[in-house]
């Protein structure tokens, strides 16, 4: 992630990292629960979060006997590490990051929106850069050590964002053509491996292979999709894929 002088930088995917006002706060300075609490507040910002929701975020269906007191302890330790000005409130808590603030998850979702908008408007270079930014974040696991239900929900959301980022990136590379075509093929193959039942990935792979002059491979890619859908779902490729397959045969 980019450096933010005087602001905040929060990395929740992959290695946990926090930088506030130019000072690093290492994961060893925060307990596992403090990291989880901070991540939850950051992902909920700017909305304040009631204490009851924080208890559920930390302990789900198995809260300790004195959950309120236990939460107070975690909040105190978090504030001691990162500052009371960052974790604000009493009955409801908010994460207030110094600006400019860069949070990797927020950055990825914003980049994905930019990429998809750029694809829709045909701005391929803008789509290429934004999609790659989203992909770099979403390919890493959110809070790898956490098992809370809300974390799993976010992981599913980021996984979907990652697939969409790959689609935008592949499309941009395909449209740029030339030296970008090998990257388009690599991304298309990754897309097919990541989401094998998503027909758009197979179609992009077919188009990329054909653009590289490998029409026979493009036809083979269609056949692999046809067999996969037949065996897994008892169905056939959609009209868009079938239409492109017919083009290849002409």
């Amino acid at each position: 992630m980019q450096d933010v002088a005087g602001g905040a930088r929060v990395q929740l995917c992959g290695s946990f990292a926090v930088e506030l006002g130019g000072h690093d706060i290492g994961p060893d300075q925060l307990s596992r629960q403090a990291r989880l609490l901070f991540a939850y507040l950051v992902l909920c910002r700017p909305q304040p979060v009631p204490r009851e929701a924080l208890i559920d975020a930390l302990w789900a269906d198995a809260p300790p006997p004195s959950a309120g007191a236990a939460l107070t302890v975690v909040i105190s330790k978090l504030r001691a590490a990162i500052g009371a000005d960052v974790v604000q409130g009493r009955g409801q808590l908010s994460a207030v990051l110094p600006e400019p603030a860069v949070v990797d998850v927020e950055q990825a979702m914003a980049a994905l929106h930019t990429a998809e908008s750029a694809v829709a408007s045909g701005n391929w270079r803008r789509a290429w850069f934004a999609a790659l930014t989203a992909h770099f974040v979403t390919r890493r696991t959110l809070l790898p050590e956490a098992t809370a239900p809300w974390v799993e929900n976010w992981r599913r959301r980021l996984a979907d964002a990652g697939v969409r980022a790959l689609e935008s990136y592949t499309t941009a590379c395909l449209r740029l053509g030339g030296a970008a075509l090998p990257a388009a093929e690599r991304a298309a193959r990754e897309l097919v491996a990541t989401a094998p039942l998503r027909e758009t990935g197979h179609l992009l792979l077919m188009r990329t292979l054909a653009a590289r002059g490998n029409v026979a491979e493009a036809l083979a890619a269609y056949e692999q999709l046809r067999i996969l859908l037949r065996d897994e779902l008892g169905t056939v490729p959609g009209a868009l894929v079938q239409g492109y397959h017919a083009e290849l045969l002409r």
Side-chain angles (χ1 to χ4, degrees), residues 118-139:
V119 166
S121 63
N123 190 336
W124 308 121
R125 293 196 179 279
R126 182 175 174 82
W128 179 90
F129 179 79
L132 203 55
T133 298
H135 177 58
F136 281 154
V137 175
T138 56
R139 68 181 180 179

Side-chain angles (χ1 to χ4, degrees), residues 21-168:
H23 300 287
D24 290 328
I25 300 172
D28 57 318
Q29 296 177 254
L30 297 171
S31 67
R32 183 186 64 83
Q33 287 183 321
R35 292 194 296 272
L36 194 63
L37 174 61
F38 181 67
Y40 188 80
L41 290 172
V42 166
L43 292 175
C44 288
R45 75 187 192 109
Q47 287 79 21
V49 183
R51 291 175 67 92
E52 294 78 8
L54 296 176
I55 290 173
D56 184 63
L58 291 183
W59 293 289
D61 296 329
S66 301
L71 176 62
T72 298
V73 171
V74 177
I75 293 171
S76 296
K77 291 181 178 179
L78 178 60
R79 281 176 169 155
I82 68 173
D85 56 330
V86 176
V87 179
Q88 299 182 9
R90 296 180 61 85
Q92 298 186 85
L93 273 68
S94 302
V96 181
L97 301 176
E99 296 294 338
V102 175
V103 179
D104 62 345
V105 174
E106 296 175 356
Q107 187 181 39
M109 300 308 288
L112 174 62
H113 175 73
T114 298
E116 292 182 331
S117 297
V119 166
S121 63
N123 190 336
W124 308 121
R125 293 196 179 279
R126 182 175 174 82
W128 179 90
F129 179 79
L132 203 55
T133 298
H135 177 58
F136 281 154
V137 175
T138 56
R139 68 181 180 179
R140 300 190 297 262
T141 302
L142 174 72
L143 301 170
E145 64 183 353
T147 58
W150 68 267
V151 176
E152 294 296 337
N153 289 337
W154 262 104
R155 285 174 184 160
R156 285 191 290 270
R157 182 177 174 184
L158 288 169
D160 175 71
V163 169
R164 290 161 56 194
L166 268 177
E167 286 181 345
S168 294

